[in-house]
Amino acid sequence: LSGMMSFKLQQTGRLPYEVEFTGDGSTTNFTVTESLTDNKVMAYIDGVYQDPNNDYSIGGTSLQFDAAPGASSVVVLVEMPV
């Protein structure tokens, strides 16, 4: 075998987007930047991964936790590129 193989990575400009909220013990709805599905968002409360099958659901641009994150807890939503 001889020859050279080359490839070029193409950047789409869409990187994962992270948004951070602070829980207040009663709010269950948090806004994502665009209409996404459960498999395009990763949610964490105080660094603990939340399972989209058990802990939250998404409808349009709203992510709703089944139970409100505790007061002063850090809620991080990571939106993956579509």
Side-chain angles (χ1 to χ4, degrees), residues 1 3 7-9 12 17 21 30 32 34 36 41-43 45 51-52 55 64-66 77-78 80-81:
L1 264 308
F7 62 93
K8 182 178 178 182
L9 295 177
T12 63
Y17 179 77
F21 300 94
F30 295 86
V32 293
E34 57 184 78
L36 298 171
V41 174
M42 291 185 295
I45 298 175
D51 182 352
D55 301 320
Q64 183 172 356
F65 286 106
D66 294 342
L77 306 179
V78 180
M80 305 306 285

Side-chain angles (χ1 to χ4, degrees), residues 2 7-11 13 18-19 22 25 30 33 38 44 47-48 50 53 55 59-60 63-64 73-75 80:
S2 65
F7 62 93
K8 182 178 178 182
L9 295 177
Q10 196 169 28
Q11 231 176 346
E18 184 177 299
V19 65
T22 301
F30 295 86
T33 60
D38 291 346
Y44 300 86
V48 178
Q50 303 299 298
N53 297 312
D55 301 320
L63 181 142
Q64 183 172 356
S73 61
V74 178
V75 178
M80 305 306 285

